[in-house]
Amino acid sequence: MLITGIKSRPIYDELAPMATGTSHVAAAQGSGGEPLVRLLGAMIPGQLAATTVLYSIESFTGKNYLADLRNFAVRELVVFPNNADAVRGLDAFLATAKMGTRLYLSGSEGFIGTSMQVATSYGMNRDEVLREHAGSFVRRVWCAHCSHYSENVSRRIFRCPGCERNLIVRDHYSGRLAAFQGVKADGEVPGELPENEELDT
Amino acid sequence: MSEAHHGSLQLRVKRIEAVTPEINRYTFSAADGSWLPPFSGGSHIRVLIPFEGETRRNAYSLMSSPYDTSEYQIAVRRVDEGKRGSIAMHRDVREGDVLSATIPANLFPVSKHARHHVFIAGGVGVTPIYAQLDELSLKGSSFELHLAVRGPEHAALGHELRERYGERVVLYGDGDGTRLNSYEILGGLPLGTHAYVCGPSRMVDDVIRAAHTHGWTDSHIHFERFEDLGSTGDPFSVTLARSGAVVEVSPEQSLLEAVEEAGHKLPYLCRGGACGECETEVLELEGTIDHRDDWLSESDRCTNKLIMPCVSRATCTKLVLNA
């Protein structure tokens, strides 16, 4: 679980069945499979039969929970080769979903954040969604200069692949953009870079 | 623009129309001829109605367009039982008269992020929806209205909305034997739908229950009950510590209104116990506070150190506020 002094970072939940829902969709990525297995294990048969699972096997840490996920009698299990495809799969599912649907997200912050963008675009509110962070604490970063998004950033200073600037990753998370903000690292004195520490992720 | 004095506006009655055997529609303009304060769909005003030497303070939803603040419109259903402010509106108020009213407050706004809006109303409960639909149709939002009436002679407002919005307005009880069924209405709706219900408590409870049965969460359910608004009860007196003034709160007015009438000021925004703006510290209390707001937490209430003067009252021999 992520606990840092970053006020803008989302406060994550623990996945547990939302009993008042009439249909459930659980989307996870890599290490997010672990909370997902726990969630499905806590569901009663009726809930499992009303649950669609979307799982991306892309993982920063290399963990894969697909075999465990196959043990549950869910409505549908869809496997995706990468996170972007899983987020698109979630979009397609929500496009025809009805009121009464509950959403469960687990995995990296970038995966949860981009999935939340999709959920929000379909008008889902916070009382219909649970999010549990799992696995690596790498950050998704938005470049304030060229708007490029970089996944899996783990150090304070990095070179933006979009504009080749050296960026410093600020502890400022935007829920709307689902990313931390990256700004030119030597903006004050050209060539003078701050210490390139490992992020407290 | 027309300014509020002690929280109230001066409104001239421009037009009175009988729209059903029980409902009159009143069109007001500012008594000084200027623009009225703007409002959003779902807002209400409280009209100060002179009644046999007293003042009734009845809340009425604004049903005119939020995009035209040259006038306000309300609909008043004559209710023979109760405190009979509506009887005075029907019997005594004439075109050309000037009435005091509070500035508009909105405790029933439309959700800005909804993908689809479903309105359910009974009878005169349709009035806030008039203004809400004006707002939504201009934005091109998706909506439907289900309105129950007690018979064809009570359906005039429903017919008016059908003229404007066509098939999106469904009338029940208009002589064709149909009955409004909230469980059926709320089934199978797309994600991101919001429901709004305005009517008698029984109807509100029925809609909330139906929505929950379909798995809706509370953030998608909005309601306004006929009997909710306002603060009436037994009289009590309050001391304002900073000026030492003692203010008597009559049965028909809120603590906030009594303080304003006595020429003092308290902060306020919603005047409905929702926003928290008027939160006031209680310095001394001999008696109990009747907390009626949606703002203070249960633990705040128990300490009796805070009160929301816009809706809450007290049964007390002494109440001193830090105001």
Side-chain angles (χ1 to χ4, degrees):
Chain A
M1 186 117 331
L2 287 180
I3 298 171
T4 71
I6 303 173
K7 281 191 288 186
S8 54
R9 180 169 247 168
I11 295 164
Y12 295 99
D13 318 292
E14 272 184 42
L15 298 191
M18 289 182 269
T20 56
T22 52
S23 175
H24 307 266
V25 55
Q29 158 277 329
S31 301
E34 189 180 5
L36 197 49
V37 167
R38 204 185 63 235
L39 168 73
L40 298 177
M43 280 184 168
I44 57 176
Q47 289 167 335
L48 283 173
T51 299
T52 292
V53 175
L54 312 174
Y55 185 61
S56 157
I57 55 171
E58 177 181 333
S59 171
F60 192 74
T61 51
K63 296 229 171 88
N64 185 326
Y65 291 84
L66 191 52
D68 297 327
L69 291 171
R70 290 200 196 279
N71 290 332
F72 295 96
V74 294
R75 177 171 54 200
E76 192 184 10
L77 167 63
V78 191
V79 183
F80 298 90
N82 59 62
N83 296 348
D85 280 354
V87 173
R88 275 191 287 275
L90 177 64
D91 194 318
F93 181 90
L94 295 182
T96 58
K98 305 296 183 200
M99 286 297 290
T101 303
R102 297 291 184 276
L103 172 64
Y104 308 82
L105 300 171
S106 59
S108 70
E109 194 160 62
F111 176 76
I112 292 175
T114 48
S115 298
M116 263 322 276
Q117 289 178 318
V118 171
T120 304
S121 76
Y122 286 102
M124 294 195 88
N125 287 340
R126 286 292 294 117
D127 58 1
E128 298 165 287
V129 185
L130 287 177
R131 311 173 290 189
E132 181 165 339
H133 183 269
S136 145
F137 299 135
V138 289
R139 294 186 189 183
R140 178 174 136 95
V141 177
W142 169 75
C143 173
H145 309 283
C146 75
S147 284
H148 184 88
Y149 289 92
S150 300
E151 302 286 343
N152 304 333
V153 176
S154 62
R155 295 189 70 80
R156 184 63 73 187
I157 311 286
F158 81 109
R159 184 168 285 265
C160 174
C163 62
E164 300 292 319
R165 284 182 179 87
N166 282 317
L167 299 184
I168 180 163
V169 180
R170 298 188 61 224
D171 289 342
H172 173 185
Y173 183 82
S174 161
R176 188 176 63 84
L177 302 176
F180 283 88
Q181 188 186 53
V183 296
K184 189 167 158 59
D186 57 351
E188 296 290 324
V189 184
E192 194 175 290
L193 292 174
E195 187 195 346
N196 191 4
E197 58 180 348
E198 190 73 19
L199 287 167
D200 65 336
T201 50
Chain B
M1 193 179 78
S2 221
E3 297 271 325
H5 295 284
H6 304 311
S8 67
L9 299 163
Q10 298 301 304
L11 302 178
R12 187 176 307 279
V13 182
K14 213 164 124 183
R15 206 160 59 244
I16 303 176
E17 311 153 68
V19 288
T20 77
E22 291 175 353
I23 299 172
N24 279 356
R25 173 160 45 197
Y26 298 80
T27 304
F28 301 119
S29 55
D32 63 4
S34 62
W35 295 97
L36 290 161
F39 65 97
S40 50
S43 297
H44 68 273
I45 55 172
R46 302 238 278 138
V47 180
L48 278 58
I49 310 164
F51 181 78
E52 292 169 8
E54 296 177 18
T55 304
R56 298 286 184 262
R57 295 160 189 273
N58 292 16
Y60 296 109
S61 296
L62 294 175
M63 62 188 297
S64 46
S65 170
Y67 302 106
D68 178 5
T69 54
S70 65
E71 52 182 49
Y72 288 164
Q73 279 183 335
I74 62 169
V76 179
R77 176 170 168 238
R78 198 186 65 241
V79 182
D80 292 327
E81 59 274 13
K83 293 188 299 268
R84 299 186 294 165
S86 63
I87 293 180
M89 283 297 290
H90 277 248
R91 187 189 61 195
D92 304 335
V93 174
R94 297 281 171 268
E95 291 180 355
D97 286 359
V98 172
L99 292 171
S100 292
T102 58
I103 58 165
N106 199 346
L107 303 176
F108 193 43
V110 294
S111 161
K112 303 286 184 285
H113 303 291
R115 293 169 74 215
H116 182 61
H117 305 261
V118 178
F119 296 90
I120 298 175
V124 77
V126 74
T127 51
I129 298 168
Y130 259 78
Q132 290 170 321
L133 296 189
D134 247 316
E135 198 175 312
L136 294 177
S137 65
L138 193 87
K139 287 189 199 144
S141 305
S142 162
F143 63 81
E144 57 190 277
L145 163 64
H146 300 266
L147 175 63
V149 295
R150 282 178 299 134
E153 71 275 26
H154 298 283
L157 294 174
H159 291 159
E160 208 174 279
L161 288 173
R162 240 192 109 88
E163 289 271 296
R164 286 190 203 175
Y165 304 116
E167 300 291 306
R168 288 179 284 180
V169 176
V170 186
L171 289 178
Y172 304 83
D174 186 18
D176 56 1
T178 52
R179 278 181 69 84
L180 187 149
N181 180 329
S182 24
Y183 183 79
E184 279 176 19
I185 291 167
L186 296 176
L189 289 164
L191 215 54
T193 301
H194 283 247
Y196 309 82
V197 52
C198 183
S201 253
R202 193 168 25 83
M203 177 181 235
V204 172
D205 293 339
D206 183 59
V207 168
I208 294 172
R209 204 177 312 116
H212 284 164
T213 307
H214 285 298
W216 290 41
T217 53
D218 288 333
S219 68
H220 292 263
I221 309 168
H222 314 272
F223 53 86
E224 190 153 85
R225 296 174 200 267
F226 283 162
E227 50 269 48
D228 250 355
L229 301 162
S231 164
T232 57
D234 292 330
F236 60 102
S237 63
V238 58
T239 305
L240 306 178
R242 291 181 207 167
S243 60
V246 178
V247 175
E248 300 298 329
V249 185
S250 74
E252 283 298 316
Q253 62 185 172
S254 69
L255 172 49
L256 174 61
E257 286 162 350
V259 168
E260 286 172 340
E261 198 175 274
H264 304 278
K265 282 195 167 151
L266 283 176
Y268 67 86
L269 276 177
C270 79
R271 301 181 85 96
C275 76
E277 184 72 14
C278 69
E279 183 181 287
T280 304
E281 189 187 352
V282 176
L283 298 176
E284 282 182 66
L285 172 72
E286 285 168 19
T288 54
I289 295 178
D290 176 8
H291 292 287
R292 300 184 183 182
D293 59 276
D294 298 309
W295 172 257
L296 295 175
S297 68
E298 208 45 57
S299 55
D300 281 342
R301 286 162 196 251
C302 293
T303 63
N304 275 337
K305 291 287 181 203
L306 295 169
I307 187 169
M308 310 305 291
C310 69
V311 289
S312 297
R313 309 181 71 85
T315 307
C316 59
T317 49
K318 189 175 197 183
L319 173 64
V320 183
L321 300 183
N322 185 9

